[in-house]
Amino acid sequence: EIVMTQSPATLSVSPGERATLSCRASQSVSSNLAWYQQKPGQAPRLLIYGASTRATGIPARFSGSGSGTEFTLTISSLQSEDFAVYYCQQYNNWPPSTFGQGTKLEIK
Amino acid sequence: EVQLVESGGGLVKPGGSLRLSCAASGFTFSSYSMNWVRQAPGKGLEWVSSISSSSSYIYYADSVKGRFTISRDNAKNSLYLQMNSLRAEDTAVYYCARGRQYYHFLFDPWGQGTLVTVSS
């Protein structure tokens, strides 16, 4: 089973600033890495797949990068609606498909 | 608009059973793999089970293997999860999620979830 590790657990950033979230896989997942956003009381929403492709309707301020074992989600200029929990997920080696433990992005 | 609506959650005693349903609309249900993902209170996401479009391929997480059964009815555009021998650690919100074509373990979209509580 591939273990996904996200850092930091909590990130405090001011609105308008840049946020950088990290995700590491215990072995290579190629580019088969997705990022999801989850707001309180809501279901997760797909943001990024293929490590760097934005899902339909996702604003351009969200970008993903990386391949192999190291991945990054960058939000270029934080809006109020971006404060949420973000999960990475590998879908290269399955079953099981595995998620990171999440990074909570909070307002500084 | 693609919609997934879960139902069937509730309070059940340890050792009991529950059947979850997921009603799909807005897409050709029979063309997509479907999945169940759960989230324990205050915790992260855990993949539970997947079923291919024609039910030919079925997968389970080790934590539920032998206790849970995934199934689908393409004529009714519905996905199911039969949960037996429930344990306290199965307490979670259960989401159904559509798999992407060619990437069956890429989940998009998700339903709103249904809460299962296992407690005496």
Side-chain angles (χ1 to χ4, degrees):
Chain A
E1 172 177 327
I2 295 179
V3 177
M4 307 300 293
T5 303
Q6 292 184 240
S7 61
T10 303
L11 183 61
S12 299
V13 183
S14 300
E17 293 190 340
R18 173 188 297 258
T20 302
L21 289 67
S22 296
C23 176
R24 173 177 292 178
S26 60
Q27 64 188 75
S28 177
V29 298
S30 186
S31 294
N32 295 315
L33 188 285
W35 290 93
Y36 298 86
Q37 177 194 65
Q38 187 179 33
K39 297 179 181 179
Q42 296 186 15
R45 176 176 71 146
L46 179 66
L47 292 178
I48 300 283
Y49 63 95
S52 61
T53 302
R54 283 189 303 277
T56 302
I58 302 303
R61 64 180 181 273
F62 290 90
S63 63
S65 63
S67 66
T69 62
E70 300 284 344
F71 301 89
T72 300
L73 174 68
T74 301
I75 310 171
S76 59
S77 177
L78 280 163
Q79 308 296 304
S80 57
E81 61 266 29
D82 299 337
F83 292 96
V85 179
Y86 292 84
Y87 294 94
C88 64
Q89 176 221 5
Q90 68 81 18
Y91 53 97
N92 189 67
N93 290 60
W94 48 263
S97 174
T98 46
F99 294 88
Q101 80 279 18
T103 290
K104 181 179 181 180
L105 181 56
E106 63 177 27
I107 301 174
K108 187 174 182 179
Chain B
E1 179 196 3
V2 175
Q3 269 203 314
L4 299 169
V5 179
E6 302 93 336
S7 60
L11 175 63
V12 61
K13 289 181 168 54
S17 298
L18 213 54
R19 189 195 196 206
L20 305 184
S21 299
C22 172
S25 60
F27 65 101
T28 305
F29 181 73
S30 59
S31 296
Y32 291 84
S33 62
M34 295 296 296
N35 307 271
W36 290 99
V37 180
R38 68 185 180 183
Q39 186 171 37
K43 303 296 184 182
L45 301 168
E46 179 189 18
W47 168 78
V48 172
S49 183
S50 296
I51 186 168
S52 62
S53 57
S54 61
S55 304
S56 298
Y57 300 97
I58 288 175
Y59 306 98
Y60 298 100
D62 286 346
S63 58
V64 306
K65 200 172 294 182
R67 300 187 299 122
F68 290 12
T69 302
I70 192 172
S71 62
R72 63 190 295 162
D73 185 335
N74 287 343
K76 294 183 178 179
N77 290 343
S78 293
L79 174 72
Y80 307 102
L81 187 67
Q82 177 67 42
M83 304 186 295
N84 298 331
S85 303
L86 282 161
R87 307 167 179 167
E89 54 264 37
D90 295 319
T91 294
V93 174
Y94 284 74
Y95 297 101
C96 72
R98 188 182 70 175
R100 280 251 179 151
Q101 287 187 326
Y102 309 120
Y103 293 101
H104 305 301
F105 284 79
L106 179 58
F107 307 138
D108 178 40
W110 301 51
Q112 87 289 349
T114 187
L115 176 62
V116 173
T117 303
V118 184
S119 174
S120 54

